């Protein structure tokens, strides 16, 4: 047995992220680690590579207990990790990054030796990549190759790949999977984290599943488990199905975006996008993250300028309108990144809930007394069942859990005057109950006659909720003639061939 | 098995810990400052007399302290109003000098007839606001660091002050670089209590207006969002840029007014020494008040007391006034270091798993 | 005219050297991610210590060494605050500036306004020093000027060509990655700020020992702040810092020259030149995308390993 982790526990400020987790790994195997967002996969691996300090537990390598006292110790023990968010110094070249990594070896080889090793490694592994340009100019796939080279250069025997395929195209992912198999064949022990069952089945030897910090399915041979076993382990046997929408009636066009082009710093994020959302409709916009979703949403809301095109909401031409004016005609926004784009984390829960009401003057035009703000917030806290605001509405909103933080945003955004709700990945990182809650609210808003533009990477969510579906790929929006593409058609559209 | 220290960011500190860390850091800072004073030659026995009785408990001493606290309240507002928007105003002195210059110009050129004095105060505010304007514009348009620009603008303002004192504003009957003395109509009223003057009323009004605006208006509400998360503020439809501009300009205006009340309230003329060290005083007071206007008067009096005491220590014990600056520096360093306790949790954990 | 230009250029290196030394010191701190707003005060302390030691009969070199050490000593609390306790760097830096300025005023009272023998110019290159225009500038300066230029070159080499330099840059750019590569982030920051403070202290000491040969309170007169801007201008490169220091030193050297030539200039307005120039240069830098990218990515922030 190459590696055994026993009883690993970890909490972040009283939030238990790992609860007595056991895990083991053999030389020459690819061990797939599955789990939903926030299950604790990265945390476990960060403990293994010395970045996080566990609260309890032990690690054995080749049967002997070891202490991973820090990243350097992990390197010395032959543990290498390709992090979910690459650990590369962006302005440095690939070679500089490799030298930096090599300087952490217990015995630092001379620079010429490192250069020779790099050349040799590139040839041996076939990981061909430009090493003398700043990493920032490389594609993610290329950056990933440098990360893998890094672990190999450091002589890692235990290799952790944290969601390596999430950022890759299918072809790139296939290449990576075969590299992983090769490395395993050479005797490396590999932990492969992924969300994709297909990859588990095609590349994994054994599989484990983490759910909310517990190992719910441990060290099973891939042949012995079914897809259903895995998916029910991941989400905990609860009903997978998202609330289905029963045939909604949709009315006239509410929002129409035509020829929208969004540019920033010379790059084009959205080009010539056309899209309509009807009253009472949920329009799903599917697509892999980073294809212009955020920029499109922000341009519709007026946070960034449109280089070209029009945005019309119920007859109001909004091309030059401010965010406040757009909100004034009923536009609402639930951004993907709650803490970065929606909440002021250090401001109180009450203020965050009351933000819109205060801005529009609903709580007073001249003086706005804190008491009125708290009363307003109090009614929303009750109506939306926002829990866990320990200490009440006067505590900073950052103390809320993800699900409750999202409820704060819903409570603020989905009011009676909402006409168009742009919801971007509204269930990201939420547990099943919170997801259902968010979906119900969106459906409710639509059935009141509002339009919902649901932007999501989660295809299940899109398919379950949407009346019509479009796909965004490299800043272009496409759909089928009837606006109801099926799964296969969506896949095609995502690849950019319609 | 290695016992070692790891840091973890706290999601939030409770009110008790907050208060304890503040009081603890302040106590540490004050204790170290006292040690510095003693090392500089102040007898231990004299400390209480000089630092408490003479500056806070004797009527004359308290008058000196309140007089000195008056411009400091404006200086602290200048720091706090900007800092609430995460804008570092490190050029308070420059804005103060411009305020003093503008007020002096109104006085020397006899502008405004019966409204001279109010006009001087308005001119001081305008001068201060104009002097901070380039830094906020450069920051919002081009992302130039306001830290450096406000600092440099201060140096330029000082040279401008000297240029005027050795030239257009100079008093020809005098060898020192000072302006002629102001007329009675150009002086803020005194209350017959030392040099305490109407400036203190102005300062308290400014503090009250700031507190009310920040605490109970839509503008103050917006400022909280813009200061904490400008992107979220933008998405919510708050006019983020305008809020920043208005707050920072108001900060500059307060600094200018500090200059105005010094020349019209205590000095009655413009000199080279007007408002020296106000940048630092303002930032220390704002840090002590945690950028909350309502606390500013209290801490302004505290820091003013320290400075008044410093002046008398200089006379009686030959202690340099530099020591007061050291003491303030030590207090500020202790305060900001104290935020460690509320921001991070220290864990003595077994590293890795072993 | 030639004589005036020769004299101006001859005086320039003496103004350049302290700016460059301070900028190099700051550059090291910032490359490690630490913004050091204490610079003005630390220079003041270095100047005072250098003067006091000179008056005590120390040789100029020993006195400057003492000034450098004084700079280091006064910076220690700041280093502990920002590196160990992760105190906000701007406030902590201002506190350091106040402590050092106050200390230099308090400790230096006995040394004020007393002239002392300072550093001698080197005369080398024989007759070349008599060359018109560039003769004095190139061949008749004190050793510190030459050593500072060499130091800039060495620092550039060290940063860009050695493994330790690579690690230091990584610490300021992306401490999480440096940490994951086994670099002791705090240790590098300590080292960088310590050496940086020595250089900044030395820059101050040179002002009194190498330049004016007398110490007065406030003699640093904003040069620390200019050095801070100089680092931005130099895009964090020691070699470019030379160019910037020459520019700012030249502007500073111009003022006494013009006065000496009897040109009727509003001297205080003219003295604004270096500051105005600095702001102008910052604007130009901000307009250039490349310059903006040169800033160390983690400058001014606190690194905690367990942060995401
Ligand atoms: N450094 C940290 N500080 C505070 N909380 C953290 C930290 N790292 C992770 N968490 C929390 O721990 C939980 C588990 O996070 P982790 O990143 O391990 O999940 P994951 O399984 O890797 O999810 P994903 O698929 O999204 O990568 C989450 O709730 C997350 O918010
Ligand atoms: Mg993860």
């Amino acid at each position: 047995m190459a590696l055994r982790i026993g009883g690993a526990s970890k909490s972040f400020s009283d939030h238990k992220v790992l609860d007595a987790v056991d895990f083991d790994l053999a030389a020459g195997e690819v061990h797939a680690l599955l789990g939903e967002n926030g299950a604790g996969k990265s945390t476990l691996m960060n403990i293994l590579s010395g970045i996080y300090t566990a609260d309890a537990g032990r690690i054995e390598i080749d049967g002997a207990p070891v202490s991973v006292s820090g990243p350097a110790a992990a390197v010395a023990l032959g543990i290498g990790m390709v992090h979910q968010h690459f650990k590369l110094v962006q302005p440095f070249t690939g070679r500089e990054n490799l030298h930096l990594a090599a300087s952490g070896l217990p015995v630092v080889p001379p620079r010429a030796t490192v250069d020779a090793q790099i050349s040799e490694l590139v040839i041996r592994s076939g990981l061909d990549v430009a090493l003398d340009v700043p990493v920032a100019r490389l594609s993610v796939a290329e950056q990933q190759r440098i990360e893998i080279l890094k672990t190999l250069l450091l002589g890692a025997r235990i290799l952790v790949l944290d969601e390596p395929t999430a950022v890759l195209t299918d072809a790139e992912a296939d290449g990576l999977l075969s590299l992983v198999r090769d490395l395993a064949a050479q005797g490396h022990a590999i932990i492969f984290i992924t969300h994709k069952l297909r990859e588990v089945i095609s590349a994994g030897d054994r599989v484990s599943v983490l759910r909310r910090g517990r190992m719910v399915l441990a060290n099973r041979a891939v042949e012995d488990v079914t897809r259903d076993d895995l998916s029910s382990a991941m989400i905990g046997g609860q009903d997978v199905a998202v609330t289905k929408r029963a045939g909604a009636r949709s009315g006239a066009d509410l929002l129409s975006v035509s020829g929208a082009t969004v540019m920033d710093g010379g790059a084009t994020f959205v080009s010539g996008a056309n899209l309509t959302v009807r009253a009472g409709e949920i329009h799903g916009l599917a697509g892999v993250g980073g294809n212009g979703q955020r920029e499109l949403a922000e341009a519709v809301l007026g946070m960034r300028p449109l280089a070209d095109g029009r945005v019309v909401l119920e007859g109001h031409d909004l091309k030059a309108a401010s965010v406040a004016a757009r909100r004034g005609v009923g536009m609402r926004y639930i951004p993907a990144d709650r803490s970065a784009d929606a909440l002021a984390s250090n401001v109180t829960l009450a203020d965050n809930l009351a933000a819109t009401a205060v801005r529009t003057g609903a709580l007073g035009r001249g003086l706005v007394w804190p008491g009125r703000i708290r009363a307003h917030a109090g009614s929303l806290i009750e109506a939306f069942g926002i829990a866990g605001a320990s200490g009440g509405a006067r505590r900073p909103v950052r103390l809320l859990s993800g699900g409750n933080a999202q409820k704060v945003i819903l409570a603020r955004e989905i009011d009676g005057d909402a006409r168009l709700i742009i919801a971007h990945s509204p269930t990201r990182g939420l547990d099943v109950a919170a997801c259902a809650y968010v979906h119900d609210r969106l459906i409710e808003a639509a059935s009141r006659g509002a339009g919902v533009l649901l932007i999501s990477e989660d295809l299940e969510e899109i398919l379950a909720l949407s009346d019509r579906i479009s796909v965004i790929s490299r800043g272009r929006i496409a759909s089928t003639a009837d606006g109801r593409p099926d799964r296969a058609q969506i896949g095609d559209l995502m690849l950019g061939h319609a | 098995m290695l016992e070692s220290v790891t840091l973890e960011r706290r999601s939030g500190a409770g009110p008790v810990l907050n208060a304890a860390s503040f009081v603890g850091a302040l106590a540490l800072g004050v204790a170290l400052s006292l040690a510095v004073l003693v090392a500089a030659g102040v007898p231990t026995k004299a400390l209480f007399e000089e630092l408490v009785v003479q500056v806070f408990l004797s009527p004359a001493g308290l008058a000196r302290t309140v007089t000195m606290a008056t411009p400091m309240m404006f200086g602290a507002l200048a720091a706090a109003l900007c800092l609430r928007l995460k804008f570092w105003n490190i050029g308070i002195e420059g804005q103060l000098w411009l305020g003093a210059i503008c007020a002096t110009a109104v006085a020397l050129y006899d502008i405004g007839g019966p409204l001279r004095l109010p006009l001087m105060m308005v001119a001081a505010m305008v001068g201060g606001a104009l002097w901070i304007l380039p830094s906020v514009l450069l920051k919002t348009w081009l992302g130039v660091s306001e830290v450096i620009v406000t600092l440099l603008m201060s140096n330029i303002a000082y040279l401008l002050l000297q240029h005027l004192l050795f030239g257009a504003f100079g008093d020809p009957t005098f060898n020192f670089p000072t302006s002629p003395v102001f007329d009675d109509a150009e002086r803020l009223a005194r209350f017959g209590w030392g040099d305490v003057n109407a400036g203190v009323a102005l300062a308290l009004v400014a503090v009250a207006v700031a507190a009310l605006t920040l605490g109970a208006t839509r503008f103050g509400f917006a400022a909280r969002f813009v200061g904490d998360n400008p992107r979220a503020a933008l998405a919510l439809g708050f006019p983020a840029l305008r809020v920043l501009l208005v707050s920072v300009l108001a900060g500059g205006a307060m600094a200018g007014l500090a200059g105005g009340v010094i020349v019209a309230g205590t000095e009655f003329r413009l000199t080279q020494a007007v408002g020296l060290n106000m940048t630092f005083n303002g930032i220390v007071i704002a840090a002590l008040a945690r950028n909350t206007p309502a606390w500013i008067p209290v801490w302004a009096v505290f820091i003013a007391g320290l400075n008044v005491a410093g002046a008398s220590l200089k006379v009686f014990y030959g202690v340099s006034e530099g020591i007061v600056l050291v003491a303030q520096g030590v207090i500020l360093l202790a305060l900001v270091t104290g935020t460690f306790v509320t921001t991070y949790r220290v864990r003595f954990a077994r590293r890795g798993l072993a | 005219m030639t004589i005036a230009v020769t004299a101006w250029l001859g005086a320039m290196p003496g103004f350049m050297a302290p700016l460059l030394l301070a900028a190099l010191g700051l550059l090291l701190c910032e490359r490690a991610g630490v913004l050091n707003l204490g610079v003005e005060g630390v220079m003041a302390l270095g100047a005072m210590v250098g003067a006091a030691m000179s008056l005590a009969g120390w040789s100029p070199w020993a006195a400057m060494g003492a000034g450098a050490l004084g700079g280091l000593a006064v910076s220690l609390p700041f280093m502990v605050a920002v590196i160990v306790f992760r105190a906000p760097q701007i406030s902590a830096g201002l506190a350091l500036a106040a402590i050092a300025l106050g200390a230099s005023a308090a400790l230096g009272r006995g040394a004020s306004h007393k002239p002392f023998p300072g550093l001698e110019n080197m005369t080398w290159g024989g007759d070349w020093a008599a060359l018109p225009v560039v003769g004095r500038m190139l061949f008749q300066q004190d050793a510190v000027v030459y050593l500072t230029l060499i130091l800039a070159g060495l620092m550039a080499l060290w940063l860009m060509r050695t493994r330790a330099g690579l690690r230091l840059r990584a610490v300021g750019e992306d401490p999480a990655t440096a940490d994951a590569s086994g670099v002791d982030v705090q240790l590098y920051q300590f080292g960088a700020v310590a050496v940086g403070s020595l250089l900044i202290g030395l820059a101050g000491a040179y002002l009194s020992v190498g330049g004016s040969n007398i110490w007065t309170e406030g003699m640093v007169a904003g040069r620390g702040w200019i050095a801070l801007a100089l680092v931005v201008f130099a895009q964090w490169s020691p070699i470019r810092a030379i160019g910037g220091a020459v520019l700012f030193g030249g502007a500073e050297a111009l003022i006494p020259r013009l006065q000496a030539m009897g040109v009727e200039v509003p001297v205080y307005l003219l003295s604004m030149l270096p500051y105005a120039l600095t702001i102008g240069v910052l604007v130009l830098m901000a307009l250039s995308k490349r310059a903006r990218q040169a800033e160390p990515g983690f400058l001014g922030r606190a690194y905690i390993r367990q942060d995401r």
Side-chain angles (χ1 to χ4, degrees), chain A residues 432-448:
Chain A
V432 179
C435 280
Y437 184 87
V438 171
H439 290 156
D440 287 347
R441 292 285 150 159
L442 291 177
I443 291 170
E444 202 178 277
S447 48
R448 277 205 312 264

Side-chain angles (χ1 to χ4, degrees), chain A residues 12 15 17 37-43 52 84 163 195, chain C residues 306 308:
Chain A
F12 287 108
H15 164 47
V17 171
N37 294 124
K41 308 179 293 292
S42 300
T43 303
Y52 291 170
Q84 193 169 1
E163 296 195 31
H195 287 292
Chain C
Q306 298 217 16
R308 263 177 297 183

Side-chain angles (χ1 to χ4, degrees), chain C residues 70-152:
Chain C
L72 173 62
V74 77
S75 303
L76 285 174
F78 168 77
M79 289 161 64
V80 172
V82 302
I83 299 171
V84 178
F85 292 106
R86 271 76 163 183
Q89 294 182 6
I90 294 184
S91 333
L94 288 172
L96 168 60
I99 292 172
L101 277 172
S104 71
L107 299 174
R109 273 182 312 163
S112 189
H113 293 284
K114 291 181 189 156
F116 50 83
L119 207 57
E120 299 286 333
N121 277 352
M122 287 172 50
T123 34
W124 64 295
D127 297 340
W128 287 2
L131 280 179
V133 186
V134 296
R136 272 193 60 195
M137 175 175 80
L138 295 180
F139 302 105
Q140 205 179 0
Q141 300 296 334
D142 59 48
V144 172
V145 169
Y146 300 112
L147 290 177
T148 304
L149 290 171
I150 294 172
L151 178 70

Side-chain angles (χ1 to χ4, degrees), chain A residues 66 69 298 351 359 368 398, chain B residues 11 216 224 231 236 351 353:
Chain A
V66 295
S69 57
E298 291 181 359
D351 282 1
R359 182 180 58 74
V368 188
R398 63 164 192 267
Chain B
S11 59
R224 286 205 279 286
R231 278 193 63 82
L236 281 164
R351 265 295 181 76
L353 312 170

